[in-house]
Amino acid sequence: MQLITLPLSPFGRKAHIVALEKGLDLEIVAPPSGLDPSVAAKNPLAKVPVLALATGDALYDSPVICEYFDTIGNGALLIPTGDERWPVLRRMALADGIMDAAVAARQESIRPDGERSQAFMDKQRQSIVRSVDAAAGELQSFAGQLRLDSIAMAVALTYLDVRHPGIDWRSRAPELDRWHAEMEKRPSFAATKPAA
Ligand SMILES: N[C@@H](CCC(=O)N[C@@H](CS)C(=O)NCC(=O)O)C(=O)O
């Protein structure tokens, strides 16, 4: 299996961490950009990550890839079954939403002068801050167990550090900060740490 992703993509990192936690062998392939034809040929949305399967089929987007890894991999389920499933998926959506807003704000910030919208970037930043506060408010619900929600949230916070160092989420949420620091020590996180 090949995971086609970009080095700083938080969605790709989340999927890669899930594969490592589930003991799966994965080849990481980095296209020159998300718009590379090699990506669009497998995912018409032209976004990474894309999982290229040995059958020639491809899977996207990252929640689908993560659930696939959870299904075929070893060890405890990262997406539980039964009633516990839904809050885990909701919190993963919260973390993915932080990533979406952070990626959108970053892309807007590098548009040429005159084309950039401060209002758009402010809206994304407000969404990020509100969502970090919400995550901090329910930290006890996901801190205790390694699941898809905790993996996604830790990845989202690291992506903020890399792309939005001006968003001081740590002083807003010191307990989230302590938990995040422990998550980043896991071998799967250390092996996928984005270069600053
Ligand atoms: N919902 C998608 C989001 C993927 C996404 O936004 N990927 C970004 C990189 S972090 C991308 O490929 N952007 C390329 C583009 O928008 O042109 C997922 O979870 O996989």
Side-chain angles (χ1 to χ4, degrees), residues 72-154:
I72 65 167
N74 305 312
L77 284 177
L78 298 174
I79 307 170
T81 55
D83 289 348
E84 285 181 298
R85 175 179 173 86
W86 310 111
V88 167
L89 289 180
R90 176 186 55 77
R91 283 189 292 265
M92 181 206 63
L94 183 67
D96 280 10
I98 293 174
M99 298 180 208
D100 278 327
V103 168
R106 158 75 185 172
Q107 286 176 345
E108 188 71 13
S109 75
I110 58 175
R111 293 182 71 190
D113 285 349
E115 290 183 20
R116 219 177 295 132
S117 163
Q118 189 60 47
F120 180 84
M121 291 189 295
D122 289 348
K123 186 175 173 221
Q124 304 309 319
R125 290 199 178 109
Q126 284 158 14
S127 168
I128 291 167
V129 167
R130 242 189 347 261
S131 302
V132 167
D133 287 352
E138 57 176 321
L139 176 62
Q140 295 317 319
S141 307
F142 62 84
Q145 265 175 306
L146 185 79
R147 285 182 166 166
L148 190 53
D149 54 354
S150 52
I151 291 172
M153 193 55 71

Side-chain angles (χ1 to χ4, degrees), residues 161-183:
D161 290 342
V162 173
R163 285 301 200 198
H164 298 281
I167 298 179
D168 185 11
W169 63 268
R170 288 191 162 77
S171 62
R172 301 181 70 85
E175 287 185 12
L176 200 59
D177 178 19
R178 280 189 285 279
W179 165 81
H180 169 259
E182 288 306 310
M183 287 290 283

Side-chain angles (χ1 to χ4, degrees), residues 9-11 35 46-49 61-63 103 107:
S9 169
F11 302 99
L35 292 174
K47 289 190 175 184
V48 294
D61 53 16
S62 65
V103 168
Q107 286 176 345

